[in-house]
Amino acid sequence: MDVSREKTLREPRVSSLALQVAKYTAVGKITVRNNLAYLYDYLIRSLFLLVILYIFAQLWRVTYDGIGTATISGYTFEQLLWYLVFAEAMVLSSPRLARRIEDEVKKGDVAYQLTRPVSYLLFQYAQYMGEAYVLVPVHLLVGGALGTMMFGVPHFGWGWIGFLLISVGAFTVNFLLNMILALTSFWIEETRGLEFVYYKIVFTLGGMLLPLEMFGGTVRQIADWLPFQCVVYFPSKTAVQFDAGEIGHMLGVQAVWAAVLTVCLTLIYRKGVKKLNVNGG
């Protein structure tokens, strides 16, 4: 009797957890379907990525030729260009949460969002991940077209699997950082300036413009202690220079930062909801 009673008590918890997972998975799937309807629009808009990568390619070609060496900080010219392809794809595929939530606060739509029978934060996370994983293949396809024309079809091997694995943590950390910035709109409403500063930090200390190996001394040490490397540097490096030994370290760093940022986000959210002042009704 005791065993059956214990089993009975456990079953609702398992069902409830499964229901919650299914609920937010459904949100992600709906987001994917909605974004797939605009797939051609995304492809056209992402063509500007070719211009950016072409300029970088010419600059780095001159740099490598001028130095007269096959590698710089452990990267060949081909590896560096492919690194930039993945780095640009990760940044451009990240939805701009600050703008979306800022507009919801100004219009008053956030009041309806908060009354839904779902967690506001998990709902936003499911939407974020669904949109991100529609945009990543698009940007990789467009950016990869230039890399393929210059160097042929890449042979990353396990790098593809490593990239997919690390990208989950990368988008999660980026979501948490962006959501923390976005929730400041509950107090100050205008958050795009903060978002602008954030992405400039990601461009540098996050390793989008340059792999972190190319930074020396104090700058590299600072970058190693900040979460921004988790967003761009980790997945991009894994793709072009796969090292099974580093995967565990990268996942561990991402997990630690995800835990710390989740606690911070939860506290800010609870305080923000109490202080929320909706202008739009």
Side-chain angles (χ1 to χ4, degrees), residues 7-17:
K7 182 178 179 181
T8 302
L9 291 174
R10 288 180 179 178
E11 284 179 352
R13 296 182 182 179
V14 174
S15 300
S16 177
L17 177 61

Side-chain angles (χ1 to χ4, degrees), residues 237-254:
K237 179 180 173 59
T238 300
V240 301
Q241 292 185 348
F242 178 79
D243 184 347
E246 291 188 0
I247 293 291
H249 169 72
M250 291 181 178
L251 290 174
V253 174
Q254 288 180 333

Side-chain angles (χ1 to χ4, degrees), residues 23 52 65 83 102 104 110 114 118-119 169-170 180 230 279:
K23 182 191 300 184
I52 298 174
D65 291 342
Y83 174 94
E102 177 186 309
E104 289 177 356
V110 69
L114 294 174
V118 294
S119 166
I180 288 173
C230 301
N279 292 332

